[in-house]
């Protein structure tokens, strides 16, 4: 690919910060090394190094939509500031082609004492537009921001929602070649977010390049076609958004496992420090027979069990198969609205377990999550007295036990190809507030839905079962 086809080129970018324990150390670093150098000796340093980014390299083609994901502190915002030119890299370089519109920190680029109208003019001028060009676009900017009479009030009086409305309206209405968005849309209301995403899609259709940062995995998956995963300042993965989002989920799961393993270890140390009788009672209360701690800690075999590209988990339970069947239990891959779809999940335990949840997530071929549900959803109704029956969460399983769970639902989906993701989780409490993944499988099964045009035709992703009366 030639350099003319690239909108953004990031090459070997690293960013180092100097951390000082006291203001005195900062002063020493400024003065002492210079004096030592004049005397022909060395002194310092009086700081600790912190590398926010380490050797980041990737290219973004013109018209491409690329996501950047990662946990807090992974370096996402630092990278975007370097790309926009508001921060200089310690090493490496960034090249961009075209006018950049960036929505980074909330209210960045606004003078708090200027009115919204004055800030629109100021931002337009910074982006290289003449006064006449800004005035021609002003009505469109004001209409999109939709903040009414507040447009003529100082920006310091704005709420966070009003700030992001005006900032986004300015950036997208001034015809950028590259649009960079960093989490700012999260503070807007649902209706405004919908309008923003629609506007972003229109810009993409017009050939605008998008660099999008968000913690919303589904939005990244659907809005971008390629993504970069950052972890502790390093590039952990790059590829299609669906693949990178899965790697991100694995990373989050690994961190969560480390966190809960540490908690379990601390509990054991606390118990061992007490008198033997109390320690024995605590050890008994921490077994899978009562609280399910065997599911809290990663299973020993999880350290050695190979994890595939499309699966991960702590172990203790392994999904053997995920099958899609019809109402009669026969294997099927094609359904029509109104028919029953049955998803049969079979898993095997490798140790005693309880407090389990078996669930699925269904996505269409565009990567949009249509539905997620598990046995715990039904158990919550049972435990609340809304419906009768035995709660799956209350069942106890032994080692090497083969368990089959069937999830049935009436098909109300539109024509599409659907992916089934299956999962077995440990739930510390029956409310999804203490979940641990024992085994997750992406692309566990697929099925297709076709609509009979002559009998039950409808548009969209789901049949709402509308009826007309007149």
């Amino acid at each position: 690919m030639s350099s003319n086809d690239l909108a953004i080129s990031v090459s070997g970018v690293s960013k180092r910060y100097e951390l000082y324990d006291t203001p005195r150390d900062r002063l020493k670093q400024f003065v002492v090394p210079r004096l030592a150098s004049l005397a022909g000796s060395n002194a310092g340093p009086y700081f600790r190094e912190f590398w926010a980014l380490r050797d980041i390299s990737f290219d973004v083609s013109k018209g491409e939509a690329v996501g950047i994901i990662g946990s807090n502190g992974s370096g996402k915002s630092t990278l975007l500031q370097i790309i926009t030119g508001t921060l200089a890299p310690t090493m490496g370089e960034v090249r961009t082609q075209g006018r950049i519109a960036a929505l980074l920190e909330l209210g960045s680029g606004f003078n708090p004492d200027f009115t919204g109208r004055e800030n629109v003019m100021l931002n337009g001028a910074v982006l290289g537009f003449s006064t006449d060009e800004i005035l021609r676009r002003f009505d469109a900017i004001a209409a999109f921001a939709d903040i009414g009479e507040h447009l003529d009030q100082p920006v310091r009086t704005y709420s966070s929602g009003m700030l992001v409305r005006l900032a986004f309206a300015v950036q997208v209405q001034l015809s950028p070649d590259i649009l960079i968005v960093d989490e700012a849309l999260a503070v807007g209301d649902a209706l405004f977010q919908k309008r923003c995403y629609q506007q972003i899609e229109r810009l993409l259709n017009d050939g605008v390049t998008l660099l999008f940062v968000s913690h919303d995995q589904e939005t990244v998956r659907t809005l971008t076609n390629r993504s970069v995963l950052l972890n502790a300042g390093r590039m952990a993965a790059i590829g299609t958004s669906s693949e990178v989002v899965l790697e991100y989920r694995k990373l989050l799961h690994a961190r969560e496992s480390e966190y809960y393993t540490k908690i379990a270890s601390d509990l054991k140390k606390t118990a061992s420090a007490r008198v033997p009788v109390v320690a024995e009672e605590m050890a008994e209360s921490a077994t899978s027979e009562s609280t399910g701690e065997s599911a809290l800690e990663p299973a020993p075999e999880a350290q050695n069990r190979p994890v595939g590209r499309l699966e991960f988990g702590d172990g203790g339970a392994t999904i053997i198969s995920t099958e899609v069947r019809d109402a009669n239990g026969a294997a099927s891959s094609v359904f029509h609205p109104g028919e029953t779809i049955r998803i049969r999940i079979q898993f095997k335990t490798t140790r005693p377990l309880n407090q389990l949840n078996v669930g699925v997530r269904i996505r269409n071929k565009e990567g949009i999550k249509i539905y997620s549900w598990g046995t715990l959803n039904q158990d919550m109704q049972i435990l609340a007295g809304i419906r009768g029956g035995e709660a799956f969460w209350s069942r106890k399983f032994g080692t090497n036990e083969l368990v089959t769970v069937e999830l049935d639902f009436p098909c109300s989906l539109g024509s599409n190809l659907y992916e089934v993701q299956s999962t077995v989780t440990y739930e510390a409490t029956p409310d999804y507030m203490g979940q641990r993944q024992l085994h997750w499988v992406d692309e566990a099964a697929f099925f297709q839905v076709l609509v009979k045009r002559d009998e039950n035709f409808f548009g969209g992703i789901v049949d709402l079962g509308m009826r007309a009366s007149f």
Side-chain angles (χ1 to χ4, degrees), residues 364-406:
N364 62 16
K365 69 176 184 289
E366 289 78 23
I368 298 173
K369 181 175 73 171
I370 305 299
Y371 189 67
S372 60
W373 197 87
T375 54
L376 187 62
N377 296 72
Q378 181 169 292
D379 292 343
M380 291 167 71
Q381 292 186 322
I382 294 173
L383 296 174
I386 299 175
R387 63 184 300 167
E390 177 192 5
F392 185 82
W393 184 81
S394 302
R395 290 183 58 184
K396 298 178 180 179
F397 303 95
T399 304
N400 293 327
E401 188 167 345
L402 192 63
V403 185
T404 300
V405 174
E406 294 184 340

Side-chain angles (χ1 to χ4, degrees), residues 174-234:
L174 292 180
S175 306
D177 299 306
I178 302 171
L179 176 63
I180 299 177
V181 181
D182 181 15
E183 288 291 350
L185 298 184
V187 302
D189 58 71
L191 180 59
F192 181 70
Q193 288 182 17
K194 176 177 179 293
R195 291 168 58 192
C196 289
Y197 291 134
Q198 288 176 337
Q199 181 65 26
I200 289 174
E201 289 178 352
R202 282 195 287 269
L203 291 173
L204 290 174
N205 291 333
D206 292 338
V208 172
T209 303
L210 173 67
L211 206 56
F212 184 75
V213 172
S214 177
H215 286 290
D216 188 337
Q217 300 173 28
E218 297 302 325
T219 302
V220 171
R221 189 201 306 272
T222 55
L223 200 59
T224 65
N225 45 33
R226 223 167 36 103
S227 289
V228 174
L229 172 61
L230 296 182
N231 180 33
R234 296 183 180 272

Side-chain angles (χ1 to χ4, degrees), residues 419-439:
E419 171 199 348
V420 179
Q421 300 168 325
S422 56
T423 177
V424 178
T425 59
Y426 163 75
E427 306 288 343
T429 53
D431 53 12
Y432 283 109
M433 298 301 291
Q435 184 179 89
R436 299 292 312 287
Q437 288 289 345
L438 302 186
H439 197 194

Side-chain angles (χ1 to χ4, degrees), residues 149-174:
E149 61 185 14
H150 296 284
L151 191 62
D152 292 307
Q153 299 300 316
V155 165
R156 56 181 164 76
T157 66
Y158 286 13
S159 66
S160 59
M162 291 164 61
L163 269 175
V164 75
R165 279 175 174 268
L166 185 60
F168 187 84
V170 171
Q171 301 296 347
V172 300
Q173 294 294 335
L174 292 180

Side-chain angles (χ1 to χ4, degrees), residues 44-116:
Y46 299 96
F47 60 84
R48 291 174 285 110
E49 289 186 345
F50 171 71
W51 290 88
L53 294 173
R54 282 275 200 178
D55 194 25
I56 306 297
S57 299
F58 64 91
D59 294 329
V60 180
S61 303
K62 291 181 178 179
E64 188 178 15
V66 173
I68 299 179
I69 59 177
S71 304
N72 290 334
S74 61
K76 304 186 301 297
S77 296
T78 302
L79 176 60
L80 293 193
Q81 290 178 56
I82 291 175
I83 292 174
T84 57
T86 60
L87 191 65
T90 304
M91 295 177 358
E93 65 174 352
V94 173
R95 296 179 180 177
T96 61
Q97 293 193 61
R99 182 184 293 116
I100 297 178
L103 195 63
L104 302 179
E105 296 179 5
L106 196 60
S108 60
F110 283 170
N111 185 319
D113 293 321
F114 285 9
T115 66

Side-chain angles (χ1 to χ4, degrees), residues 138-332:
F138 189 85
D139 288 344
I141 293 172
F144 194 95
D146 193 22
I147 58 174
E149 61 185 14
H150 296 284
L151 191 62
D152 292 307
Q153 299 300 316
V155 165
R156 56 181 164 76
T157 66
Y158 286 13
S159 66
S160 59
M162 291 164 61
L163 269 175
V164 75
R165 279 175 174 268
L166 185 60
F168 187 84
V170 171
Q171 301 296 347
V172 300
Q173 294 294 335
L174 292 180
S175 306
D177 299 306
I178 302 171
L179 176 63
I180 299 177
V181 181
D182 181 15
E183 288 291 350
L185 298 184
V187 302
D189 58 71
L191 180 59
F192 181 70
Q193 288 182 17
K194 176 177 179 293
R195 291 168 58 192
C196 289
Y197 291 134
Q198 288 176 337
Q199 181 65 26
I200 289 174
E201 289 178 352
R202 282 195 287 269
L203 291 173
L204 290 174
N205 291 333
D206 292 338
V208 172
T209 303
L210 173 67
L211 206 56
F212 184 75
V213 172
S214 177
H215 286 290
D216 188 337
Q217 300 173 28
E218 297 302 325
T219 302
V220 171
R221 189 201 306 272
T222 55
L223 200 59
T224 65
N225 45 33
R226 223 167 36 103
S227 289
V228 174
L229 172 61
L230 296 182
N231 180 33
R234 296 183 180 272
M235 198 162 71
I238 184 170
T240 63
S241 293
S242 58
E243 293 173 342
V244 174
V245 166
L246 179 60
E247 291 301 317
Y248 181 41
R249 284 206 298 266
K250 289 181 181 179
L251 178 64
L252 294 177
H253 173 75
R255 288 185 177 177
E256 187 180 41
S257 297
E258 292 175 4
Y259 172 74
Y260 282 111
T261 299
K262 184 180 184 301
I263 290 178
S265 177
D266 291 344
L267 288 173
K268 289 179 179 178
K269 290 178 181 178
T270 302
S272 63
R274 299 190 180 185
V275 295
V277 174
V278 176
E280 183 178 348
E281 290 175 354
M282 289 186 67
E284 289 177 356
S285 67
T287 65
S288 62
E289 293 295 320
S290 55
T291 65
E293 191 197 18
S294 62
L296 182 64
E297 276 192 279
E301 74 274 8
Q303 307 298 325
N304 301 315
R305 179 171 61 84
V307 178
R309 184 178 65 85
L310 299 175
E311 60 180 304
F312 62 90
D314 286 339
T318 301
I319 296 174
I320 304 299
S321 64
T322 303
E323 302 171 338
V324 182
R325 298 173 175 265
D326 61 19
N328 298 318
S332 180

